[in-house]
Amino acid sequence: MVERALAHGVRVQAWTFDEGYGRDTPFLDGLEQRQQAFVGEVPKNFHGWVIRPRLLQDGRSPRRGRKKRYPRLAARGRRSCEVQNLASYSPAFRKQKWQRYRIKDTEHGPEVWEVKWAVFWRKGPAGLPGRRHCLIVARNVLTMEVKYFVANRVPGERAFTLRRLLCVAFGRWSVESCFRQAKEELGLDQYEVRGWRCLHRHFYLTQLSHLFCARMRQKFDDATTRDDPLEHLTTEQVRRAMNVWLEAAVGRLTRTERFQRELAKQQYYQRRNAQARRSHTKTRKANLKSLGIDADRIKSCIPSSST
């Protein structure tokens, strides 16, 4: 799929993926061979080094027997370790202080993660280290959830910064939210067909409907002023409004009257959602403040409105 995207002229700053792909060493090697930057989540038992081990390029032994393969790790060289052990016991991480970043703003308020990073050499298929990578350890300050990310770009090289790597690493949630909306509101997973052609047709129609709802949301968001007390529309509200508009009149109500009723109902739910969002955000900020964290004064991965 990556090759197909590149063949169609698609260019990305960096690829990102979950640990299911992160544990696949041939997949990571394939991205390396195609000179593609990536920041992917890896499992906690992913192996590598924070200090490059010594390699033997050639050697001779007076003893007879099977010839040894070269290059190979030195007999007294460092063994690879799991990333969870490197994060806990390696001096490269233990001597660091956690850096706090405001990763994103959700319906429940800001999410703050603590981050450490170090130069990393991941273990290749032959058990040998490859080129320099970056190992990022992130910990949620409230839930203590820990994530491990490996990037083939190091902060300070090729205009990559730690903030930029974090934006890519945690940018997957927007794609997951897109799939969730398509399943819940537009029936992406509601198909009963036989054959790939019918399945692809269903996916195309669902994606086209999702694109239409997204364009409608963007159109009304651009027209909304800052003084408007209502929040932005959701995909569900756009979908419900279009259903009302497209359905035929039922009973005594005309299409316009049904649309006005649906509009009044959506405005009610918008006010309820806005109140719930403010309440959750207030609670989240209070919990962060109890830990001595002011989410508005720490480093942020959220792009400013000017950019």
Side-chain angles (χ1 to χ4, degrees), residues 101-118:
Y101 280 86
R102 182 172 180 169
I103 297 297
K104 58 185 178 182
D105 287 338
T106 66
E107 297 293 326
H108 294 273
E111 276 201 11
V112 178
W113 290 67
E114 296 177 324
V115 177
K116 290 183 180 181
W117 74 275

Side-chain angles (χ1 to χ4, degrees), residues 29-292:
D29 293 337
L31 292 178
E32 290 277 0
Q33 295 171 2
R34 290 160 181 79
Q35 299 181 351
Q36 296 296 303
F38 65 82
V39 187
E41 186 177 356
V42 296
K44 60 183 180 181
N45 60 351
F46 191 83
H47 272 254
W49 300 264
V50 291
I51 299 178
R52 184 177 176 85
R54 188 166 64 92
L55 297 179
L56 298 178
Q57 300 295 337
D58 193 5
R60 295 181 180 179
S61 175
R63 299 180 181 179
R64 296 181 179 179
R66 186 175 60 183
K67 294 183 179 180
K68 297 182 178 180
R69 295 181 179 180
Y70 292 92
R72 56 190 294 268
L73 294 175
R76 298 182 180 179
R78 299 177 181 271
R79 294 184 178 180
S80 62
C81 295
E82 296 179 354
V83 292
Q84 61 177 346
N85 294 332
L86 292 174
S88 300
Y89 306 112
S90 172
F93 284 97
R94 293 184 61 184
K95 293 181 180 180
Q96 286 189 52
K97 293 183 178 180
W98 290 101
Q99 302 182 53
R100 290 170 178 167
Y101 280 86
R102 182 172 180 169
I103 297 297
K104 58 185 178 182
D105 287 338
T106 66
E107 297 293 326
H108 294 273
E111 276 201 11
V112 178
W113 290 67
E114 296 177 324
V115 177
K116 290 183 180 181
W117 74 275
V119 178
F120 179 73
W121 287 266
R122 65 180 179 89
K123 186 177 181 179
L128 302 177
R131 64 181 299 276
R132 290 208 320 165
H133 285 58
C134 171
L135 173 61
I136 301 175
V137 181
R139 182 178 68 182
N140 191 301
V141 297
L142 292 178
T143 64
M144 291 295 130
E145 178 188 3
V146 179
K147 289 181 178 290
Y148 305 93
F149 300 95
V150 169
N152 63 345
R153 297 292 185 267
V154 179
E157 296 180 357
R158 303 185 184 182
F160 275 88
T161 62
L162 179 59
R163 178 182 178 274
R164 184 177 176 185
L165 294 178
L166 290 175
C167 289
V168 176
F170 285 94
R172 202 176 72 242
W173 72 273
S174 59
V175 180
E176 295 171 347
S177 176
C178 179
F179 279 106
R180 178 182 56 80
Q181 291 178 0
K183 290 179 179 179
E184 294 178 354
E185 303 299 333
L186 303 172
L188 178 64
D189 57 346
Q190 299 175 8
Y191 53 86
E192 297 180 3
V193 296
R194 297 178 180 178
W196 287 106
R197 179 175 299 179
C198 300
L199 184 64
H200 289 169
R201 183 183 297 115
H202 176 79
F203 286 166
Y204 294 153
L205 291 176
T206 305
Q207 294 170 9
L208 183 61
S209 301
H210 203 173
L211 176 62
F212 175 80
C213 292
R215 291 287 177 86
M216 294 299 295
R217 284 187 57 191
Q218 184 180 15
K219 178 180 179 180
F220 283 100
D221 286 348
D222 293 341
T224 303
T225 62
R226 295 183 178 179
D227 298 332
D228 193 342
L230 298 181
E231 295 291 331
H232 299 303
L233 290 173
T234 64
T235 303
E236 177 186 7
Q237 292 169 337
V238 174
R239 191 263 304 164
R240 288 173 59 92
M242 293 309 304
N243 285 348
V244 172
W245 185 258
L246 295 175
E247 289 175 356
V250 177
R252 300 178 181 179
L253 298 179
T254 64
R255 180 178 298 175
T256 303
E257 290 173 337
R258 294 184 65 208
F259 184 76
Q260 292 298 328
R261 282 195 174 188
E262 180 65 26
L263 183 60
K265 185 185 298 184
Q266 290 197 16
Q267 290 175 346
Y268 166 76
Y269 282 113
Q270 278 188 296
R271 289 191 291 268
R272 290 285 301 273
N273 293 341
Q275 178 61 34
R277 189 178 298 109
R278 288 191 293 266
S279 178
H280 288 311
T281 301
K282 183 179 179 180
T283 302
R284 175 70 62 83
K285 288 188 175 182
N287 293 337
L288 292 174
K289 190 157 291 187
S290 66
L291 300 175

